[in-house]
Amino acid sequence: LDERLTGQYLIALYRSGRQSAALEHYQRVRSRLIEQLGTDPSPPLRELYQQILTADAGLAAPAASPVVTTIGTPTPRQLPAAPQWFVGRANELALLDDALDAEATRGRTVVISAIAGIGGIGKTWLALHWAYQHLDRFPDGQLYLDLRGYAPTADPLAPADAIRGLLAALGVQRDRQPSEWDAQVGLYRSLLADRRMLIVLDNARDASQVTPLLPGSATCTVLITSRHRLAGLVTTHGALPLPLDVLTKHEAYLLLTRRIGRDRVIAEREAVDGLLANCAGLPLALGIVAARANKHPDFPLATLADELDGEANRLDALDDGDLTANLRAVLSWSHHPMSGPVASTFWLVGLAPGPDIGLPAAAALTGLPIGRVRMLLRELENVSLVQEHVQGRYRMHDLIRLYAKEQALRDCPEPVRTNALRRLVGFYVHTAYAGERLLYPQVVPIEIGDPPAGCQPHPLRDDDAALEWFTAEHVNLLACQRFAARRGWHTPVWQLAYALKTFHARQGRMQEVLATARAGLAAAELLGDPGVQAMAHRLVGGACAYFGLLTESIDHLGQSLNYAERTGNVLSQVRDHHVLAGAWEEYGDCDKALEHATHALQLARRLGGPVLEGRELNAVGWYLALLGRYEQARVHCAAALTLLRPHTKDGEAATLDSLGYIDTRTGHYAQAVTQFQLALVLRRTRGDSYQVANTLEHLGEAQAALGQHDDARQSWQEALELHQEQHRDADATRIQRQLAGLDRS
């Protein structure tokens, strides 16, 4: 009969996620007061009951303040925003709590929970809600990754891409990540060792996609969501299986009440019962109902209930556990009332390759101005059909995308669909090519044609803007190339391979260089254009050389050179001989490398142009130096520097480095120091950390020869740190020996 204590207990139950228990306890207390004292509960207790009934936001528990760590690597906070309208799931939350507490008490291995259920069931909501309730348990950070396991129009995220993303979140820049898969996984687990972190792996395809991403540290907790039950993880890693069912009727009622307001729900309880019955406890469907109701607050809810009930025959699939038909029924009445432009945008976005779409790309897809398509996408977002997950970027839930695609195939004429997709592909090709020319101004131009009518490529101001655009659109660009290949649109396939090569190389994405180059070569062979075939073979050959596939590399480069010679394309011949020289250097045959470099120089002089000739002069000088012919090498590199310095910082830095190498080998140490320091400034300016490490090592060698031991130690120490960060173990070992020798001298 202590109402103050009762109120505290009700709040405790509510904040533990046990709303139903709180409401039931209030009714028990009310009955007891009436029976024993003949009175209702006091006004404060009745008011508290109403707050619990309507899920008043004022009752929410204070958010836990995450603890900031002071370790050397960054503290990632990658969780998306906490779900605003989360309700129920008390049993599942309790199971997650128990698993965390039990494993922490036993000090056993990493805690893994696999949340499984159909699309739209609320798996991610549950994971995020639980995570935000326990931020204090993970002071070293939280990682989040969407694995895209069941996206109908996008490939699942490969474990290699996932590891690279996780390493980047842990502070390892992409150009400093190991190139080998085992080393990447080992580094990832090393960085997580002894750190109290939460890793949320969302939308997993299967156990094989997730297993490499599991940390080895007993201090970490992993939440995995998937439509698959991931039995392999349960068997081999002791994961907690957590199948997720639909919301109870009471939970669905609370969710709808939060979204559209208590007064409206009470006023039309019969209509609400109809909505709840036809939504069948699916959170995604309930969200769409609420968005539609809020869009027209003056419309009776009975209208929505009647529309949904009119599609009741499609809900029959619920009987065998397949909610796809139910989702289609819910989406149909959100889709049918749309105006023509909104519906068309919905269809076309559903057809677009890639997991999301940027606003400029959506404008090209629809053929509309950016301002207009932004308004249309906002209307779609209002009814929960798209989500602006990053400013200016939109994505669909995978099942909604599938529904949109079905509607497009049914209602959108084939010529309209094809033209829209050609505009989108053209947008990606032309913007990527412009970005390539900004990142590498010396790129050999290709014939790219005009953009399709209605397509406006995204303007890129400078190389920083180009790098930012490539980073945001990278997954979509790869999806676009695969889509074009499936449609038999061969020209954009090879053009995208060409336009992506510099971005991939700068980012250290050499696997993607090879994959896109191979796709480009397949398209070029089908087109039968010798010039395109030569370019495609050269791309594949250069990528193969990087991976040590030297026989294959030289074969492809030989084919490229053969095409170039047959067609009389002298510029392609220059490029082929240049890349062949590098491949033979990798083979260890510098005489053969010099032969190709010399041939490239002769051809470059026929064409003219300071950058082309300067680049090949420096290449010849470099191979002469490697063969010990230093004076000839110096003459070539000095001439190269004169040609390159006014036009290209990359070329200037490379030539200065060559001259410094020659000066060191011929005993001109002071002059070598000057050359290396100039090269170092240029390479630092462009952020080329890989070459910075090499130049620092060379600089230290010249400084040591001059007796400048403190300067040499500083140069080599920085070079060592860069080698270690880039996981260049052999280079790091060599520098350590040099430092040790310096200390003994």
Side-chain angles (χ1 to χ4, degrees):
L1 300 180
D2 185 335
E3 294 189 62
R4 180 176 175 274
L5 180 60
T6 295
Q8 293 173 333
Y9 183 54
L10 294 178
I11 292 173
L13 287 170
Y14 177 79
R15 288 181 177 175
S16 299
R18 300 171 60 187
Q19 296 95 329
S20 297
L23 296 172
E24 291 170 1
H25 186 71
Y26 172 84
Q27 294 297 344
R28 284 196 297 271
V29 171
R30 179 176 179 273
S31 297
R32 193 174 301 129
L33 287 168
I34 292 173
E35 290 172 1
Q36 298 187 28
L37 302 178
T39 181
D40 280 326
S42 65
L45 192 59
R46 293 201 303 270
E47 181 180 352
L48 176 60
Y49 169 73
Q50 290 299 323
Q51 287 180 292
I52 294 173
L53 181 65
T54 60
D56 192 308
L59 288 183
S65 299
V67 179
V68 179
T69 60
T70 56
I71 58 178
T73 52
T75 303
R77 306 290 187 195
Q78 290 192 316
L79 294 179
Q84 183 177 357
W85 295 293
F86 183 86
V87 298
R89 307 299 194 195
N91 291 336
E92 291 83 359
L93 291 169
L95 287 171
L96 290 171
D97 288 346
D98 291 344
L100 180 63
D101 293 336
E103 297 300 327
T105 300
R106 297 169 189 161
R108 288 171 52 181
T109 57
V110 57
V111 182
I112 307 167
S113 298
I115 304 171
I118 60 170
I121 201 68
K123 301 181 293 295
T124 303
W125 273 31
L126 174 63
L128 293 178
H129 180 79
W130 184 87
Y132 274 97
Q133 285 186 324
H134 297 84
L135 288 180
D136 59 316
R137 303 288 291 271
F138 310 108
D140 295 324
Q142 306 90 39
L143 297 172
Y144 174 85
L145 197 60
D146 181 4
L147 298 176
R148 304 198 309 268
Y150 286 87
T153 56
D155 294 334
L157 189 66
D161 292 331
I163 283 287
R164 282 196 289 270
L166 291 168
L167 286 174
L170 292 167
V172 184
Q173 297 179 12
R174 290 187 182 273
D175 61 347
R176 297 179 179 178
Q177 293 178 10
S179 57
E180 297 295 328
W181 165 249
D182 289 341
Q184 291 173 347
V185 174
L187 176 61
Y188 165 68
R189 289 174 176 160
S190 297
L191 291 173
L192 293 179
D194 300 322
R195 296 177 71 179
R196 295 167 60 195
M197 295 190 69
L198 173 68
I199 299 99
V200 179
L201 303 175
D202 199 13
N203 196 17
R205 178 74 178 183
D206 51 34
S208 64
Q209 187 188 26
V210 170
T211 300
L213 311 181
L214 299 179
S217 173
T219 59
C220 291
T221 293
V222 183
L223 284 183
I224 304 165
T225 75
S226 178
R227 296 185 197 177
H228 196 283
R229 291 184 180 269
L230 304 179
L233 288 182
V234 176
T235 302
T236 59
H237 293 275
L240 169 69
L242 200 65
L244 208 56
D245 203 349
V246 295
L247 297 174
T248 67
K249 183 176 180 180
H250 180 67
E251 290 168 344
Y253 176 83
L254 288 176
L255 177 57
L256 201 59
T257 300
R258 286 190 178 187
R259 295 294 302 272
I260 67 176
R262 174 175 172 271
D263 292 341
R264 201 172 178 190
V265 166
I266 292 176
E268 295 192 65
R269 185 57 191 262
E270 184 177 348
V272 167
D273 288 341
L275 291 172
L276 295 175
N278 285 321
C279 288
L282 187 65
L284 177 60
L286 290 163
I288 296 171
V289 168
R292 180 71 183 280
N294 288 331
K295 186 176 181 180
H296 299 289
D298 298 326
F299 287 16
L301 294 178
T303 303
L304 291 179
D306 290 341
E307 289 181 35
L308 187 58
D309 192 58
E311 304 288 343
N313 58 310
R314 297 187 184 179
L315 299 177
D316 292 341
L318 284 171
D319 292 342
D320 59 14
D322 181 3
L323 294 185
T324 303
N326 173 257
L327 178 64
R328 192 175 291 116
V330 173
L331 291 175
S332 66
W333 50 254
S334 279
H335 167 253
H336 291 159
M338 291 178 186
S339 65
V342 177
S344 178
T345 302
F346 178 59
W347 299 336
L348 296 179
V349 171
L351 291 171
D356 71 351
I357 190 166
L359 197 56
L365 176 70
T366 58
L368 297 171
I370 283 183
R372 175 63 174 153
V373 78
R374 181 189 287 113
M375 292 179 61
L376 296 172
L377 288 167
R378 189 172 296 150
E379 288 194 47
L380 291 172
E381 188 177 26
N382 287 341
V383 292
S384 301
L385 293 177
V386 301
Q387 178 193 9
E388 190 177 9
H389 64 107
V390 174
Q391 185 175 1
R393 302 199 66 82
Y394 298 84
R395 66 184 178 194
M396 287 179 168
H397 183 281
D398 48 9
L399 290 177
I400 296 176
R401 180 183 290 274
L402 181 60
Y403 175 80
K405 183 176 181 179
E406 289 177 352
Q407 297 304 305
L409 295 175
R410 189 189 73 180
D411 297 331
C412 186
E414 192 279 333
V416 174
R417 301 196 306 267
T418 297
N419 289 338
L421 291 167
R422 284 197 178 276
R423 287 193 300 268
L424 181 63
V425 172
F427 168 85
Y428 285 131
V429 168
H430 282 265
T431 308
Y433 180 60
E436 164 74 4
R437 300 193 71 176
L438 285 168
L439 293 180
Y440 184 43
Q442 292 76 42
V443 66
V444 178
I446 60 173
E447 180 57 48
I448 200 163
D450 295 325
C455 165
Q456 182 63 46
H458 187 52
L460 301 172
R461 300 181 307 278
D462 50 31
D463 57 351
D464 288 338
L467 188 62
E468 181 180 352
W469 183 84
F470 273 118
T471 301
E473 296 286 3
H474 180 245
V475 177
N476 292 328
L477 288 163
L478 297 181
C480 180
Q481 190 195 43
R482 292 191 296 267
F483 167 79
R486 290 194 300 269
R487 292 293 294 261
W489 298 351
H490 306 308
T491 298
V493 174
W494 73 260
Q495 289 173 337
L496 282 168
Y498 188 86
L500 280 163
K501 60 182 174 26
T502 298
F503 170 74
H504 281 157
R506 282 198 182 183
Q507 295 287 303
R509 297 173 178 268
M510 300 309 295
Q511 290 284 1
E512 279 100 337
V513 172
L514 186 56
T516 56
R518 290 193 190 281
L521 176 58
E525 299 284 21
L526 290 168
L527 285 171
D529 183 324
V532 174
Q533 289 170 298
M535 179 279 301
H537 277 293
R538 184 165 60 250
L539 277 180
V540 175
C544 287
Y546 178 88
F547 286 104
L549 306 171
L550 297 174
T551 301
E552 185 179 355
S553 170
I554 290 172
D555 177 64
H556 280 292
L557 293 169
Q559 292 187 64
S560 178
L561 182 59
N562 182 47
Y563 278 118
E565 290 174 342
R566 281 166 42 198
T567 59
N569 189 326
V570 179
L571 183 56
S572 283
Q573 293 175 48
V574 173
R575 298 302 187 191
D576 290 330
H577 282 294
H578 184 92
V579 180
L580 275 164
W584 282 110
E585 181 188 354
E586 291 289 333
Y587 239 128
D589 191 337
C590 289
D591 287 306
K592 197 74 172 175
L594 177 60
E595 178 184 332
H596 282 287
T598 302
H599 203 159
L601 175 58
Q602 293 169 350
L603 293 170
R605 283 172 167 162
R606 283 174 50 189
L607 290 175
V611 174
L612 188 63
E613 182 179 351
R615 183 188 186 203
E616 303 312 326
L617 273 168
N618 182 52
V620 170
W622 174 251
Y623 296 121
L624 285 167
L626 292 179
L627 290 167
R629 296 157 62 178
Y630 298 119
E631 292 311 313
Q632 288 177 276
R634 191 192 311 279
V635 170
H636 281 78
C637 291
L641 185 62
T642 300
L643 291 172
L644 293 171
R645 179 167 273 160
H647 302 287
T648 163
K649 299 303 180 186
D650 285 344
E652 180 183 358
T655 309
L656 286 168
D657 194 80
S658 298
L659 286 166
Y661 177 86
I662 295 166
D663 286 332
T664 302
R665 294 297 179 270
T666 55
H668 298 90
Y669 301 117
Q671 188 170 311
V673 167
T674 300
Q675 308 279 27
F676 288 134
Q677 286 176 335
L678 291 171
L680 199 57
V681 170
L682 294 172
R683 285 178 163 168
R684 287 191 196 279
T685 300
R686 69 184 296 269
D688 192 345
S689 60
Y690 187 94
Q691 293 296 345
V692 165
N694 294 336
T695 301
L696 281 167
E697 182 178 355
H698 299 158
L699 174 61
E701 184 179 349
Q703 290 167 330
L706 287 170
Q708 299 171 357
H709 290 179
D710 289 342
D711 292 338
R713 184 176 291 104
Q714 182 177 345
S715 296
W716 280 341
Q717 186 61 46
E718 186 181 352
L720 174 62
E721 292 170 2
L722 287 170
H723 285 320
Q724 290 172 335
E725 288 174 3
Q726 296 163 8
H727 308 286
R728 297 161 61 179
D729 296 336
D731 294 332
T733 300
R734 183 178 62 252
I735 294 288
Q736 287 172 329
R737 287 198 300 266
Q738 290 170 324
L739 283 167
L742 194 63
D743 291 336
R744 289 192 298 269
S745 62

